[in-house]
Amino acid sequence: MNFKKENIYLSIRVLSYSILAITFSFLINNILIVWFDWPGIKKLYSHYELFGFKKLNKPLENPQLFISYIQLFSYLISILLVIFYVLKTFRQNLEKDSQILSSFSAYIIRSAFWAVFLLGIIDLVISFMAVERLLDPIFNEKIKFKLISPQFRITFVHFPIILASFILGYFTRTVGFIWLAVLVVCSEFSIVLSRFIFSYEQAFQGDLVRFWYAALFLFASAYALIHEGHVRVDVLYTGFTEKQKSWTNSIGSLFLGIPLCLIIIFLGMDGKASIINGPVIAFEVTQQGSNGLYLLYLMAVYLAVFAISMLIQFTSYFMGSSYKILKNL
């Protein structure tokens, strides 16, 4: 490999990993801002009236100012860590990097599948018991009211299940989208049976179908991208040579796919009232209350999982396509 090609390889690796590192730094800072009331770098900019931000009515005091600087430096540190990793793995080619990112994206999707599957089943059981008053003979009044409280159920039932799902996702190697599709069909079929045969229908049944169907649609996007499963407008692409296809995929990922995912993440989590953060903070549930599932807030999280998994996969696509281009130079 000549010196010029080595520099191109290094530049692509640093650029690709830096995009992901900055994004994950943003996600960590978003958690600190939303859940722990850290000030964030926007307030730091407003404190000094930088980049067009209006001056704060109440300037940041020393502790908050120090925390803001920590949050700012976290982005710089993430880039330095990327450079350190790239130099440490100097001989690692872009194809290997692409495989690593695809594996990580698949892990996120596997974990998300287990989360929506387990949460759907368990929340359905709790809602069914609440509607049919089966909680009364099993639990005392205090626990019963806690189970129909969104804040308690989400904090002490949903969150542990989500954590366990990421452990399951690590030890399993199948994504399970076929099974999720089957579950959607089965849950819809159960509504038909219960409605027309037993004249029984509750809000949580329809909620479960929507919950699983939305997960199937959004979470499968990155998986389909890995396996070339997305529908293309093949008027021109099918006639391209392998090199032309690599150029198309590389440019498309860098200038269309990656920016779209970044827009969803950065705008969707822009403040506590944003489209993703807002429902989660409010523990948003369906309007039917205890008659429905307490999973509406997760529909906003779906959008974040979709954008993150697609961002990782588009970056993987970009690196893999760039490798094919450079290999033939």
Side-chain angles (χ1 to χ4, degrees):
M1 185 185 299
N2 58 47
F3 180 74
K4 183 179 179 180
K5 189 178 289 189
E6 282 184 353
N7 287 338
I8 296 175
Y9 268 112
L10 289 175
S11 299
I12 292 174
R13 294 188 70 204
V14 170
L15 173 64
S16 301
Y17 280 119
S18 293
I19 291 172
L20 297 178
I22 291 172
T23 302
F24 278 95
S25 294
F26 171 80
L27 294 175
I28 293 171
N29 280 317
N30 179 72
I31 294 172
L32 294 173
I33 293 168
V34 171
W35 294 100
F36 299 97
D37 290 323
W38 283 35
I41 60 173
K42 280 189 175 181
K43 287 189 177 180
L44 180 64
Y45 295 153
S46 296
H47 181 80
Y48 294 108
E49 295 184 85
L50 298 173
F51 308 115
F53 284 88
K54 295 182 180 179
K55 189 173 183 179
L56 294 172
N57 294 328
K58 183 181 179 182
L60 295 174
E61 299 178 356
N62 285 334
Q64 290 183 314
L65 192 60
F66 178 72
I67 291 173
S68 295
Y69 274 112
I70 292 176
Q71 291 181 274
L72 176 62
F73 288 138
S74 67
Y75 292 97
L76 303 176
I77 292 170
S78 67
I79 296 175
L80 292 176
L81 289 174
V82 165
I83 295 173
F84 173 77
Y85 172 74
V86 169
L87 294 177
K88 186 179 179 181
T89 57
F90 183 77
R91 297 299 175 185
Q92 184 169 292
N93 59 41
L94 291 172
E95 186 176 36
K96 178 64 176 178
D97 290 317
S98 176
Q99 293 171 355
I100 292 172
L101 294 181
S102 290
S103 298
F104 186 53
S105 177
Y107 163 70
I108 293 175
I109 298 303
R110 285 197 307 270
S111 302
F113 162 75
W114 283 111
V116 298
F117 170 66
L118 295 175
L119 284 173
I121 295 295
I122 293 173
D123 212 68
L124 176 72
V125 171
I126 297 174
S127 293
F128 173 76
M129 294 178 70
V131 170
E132 300 301 327
R133 300 184 182 280
L134 298 176
L135 294 175
D136 298 344
I138 300 175
F139 303 104
N140 58 39
E141 287 292 315
K142 184 178 180 181
I143 296 178
K144 184 186 75 173
F145 281 111
K146 282 185 175 180
L147 285 175
I148 61 176
S149 165
Q151 186 171 359
F152 179 87
R153 193 193 294 190
I154 292 171
T155 303
F156 296 101
V157 178
H158 292 184
F159 287 172
I161 292 173
I162 293 172
L163 180 61
S165 299
F166 277 87
I167 298 174
L168 278 173
Y170 180 78
F171 289 104
T172 57
R173 288 294 177 266
T174 55
V175 178
F177 288 112
I178 294 176
W179 292 110
L180 189 55
V182 172
L183 289 170
V184 171
V185 174
C186 290
S187 58
E188 188 67 61
F189 183 63
S190 69
I191 293 176
V192 175
L193 288 179
S194 64
R195 179 191 297 170
F196 294 103
I197 296 179
F198 301 102
S199 299
Y200 179 86
E201 185 177 6
Q202 295 292 345
F204 56 74
Q205 294 175 283
D207 289 344
L208 183 63
V209 173
R210 288 187 290 271
F211 179 67
W212 276 346
Y213 183 77
L216 176 65
F217 178 78
L218 289 174
F219 294 170
S221 296
Y223 178 76
L225 189 60
I226 296 173
H227 298 282
E228 295 282 348
H230 283 268
V231 177
R232 297 177 183 270
V233 182
D234 286 340
V235 176
L236 299 175
Y237 187 83
T238 50
F240 287 172
T241 63
E242 286 300 316
K243 185 176 180 180
Q244 289 172 327
K245 288 181 179 179
S246 297
W247 273 107
T248 303
N249 292 332
S250 180
I251 294 172
S253 297
L254 183 60
F255 293 104
L256 296 176
I258 291 175
L260 174 62
C261 296
L262 291 176
I263 288 171
I264 294 173
I265 294 170
F266 283 88
L267 291 184
M269 297 183 178
D270 185 24
K272 292 185 177 183
S274 62
I275 190 172
I276 295 176
N277 289 333
V280 179
I281 297 171
F283 295 115
E284 190 171 335
V285 299
T286 58
Q287 293 180 350
Q288 289 79 12
S290 60
N291 290 338
L293 298 184
Y294 286 21
L295 300 171
L296 186 61
Y297 74 98
L298 280 177
M299 305 291 268
V301 179
Y302 283 1
L303 191 59
V305 174
F306 163 79
I308 292 168
S309 59
M310 287 294 283
L311 174 65
I312 296 171
Q313 194 51 47
F314 272 126
T315 307
S316 169
Y317 225 45
F318 168 67
M319 298 177 86
S321 300
S322 298
Y323 174 76
K324 293 177 182 178
I325 295 170
L326 293 170
K327 186 174 65 172
N328 297 321
L329 287 179

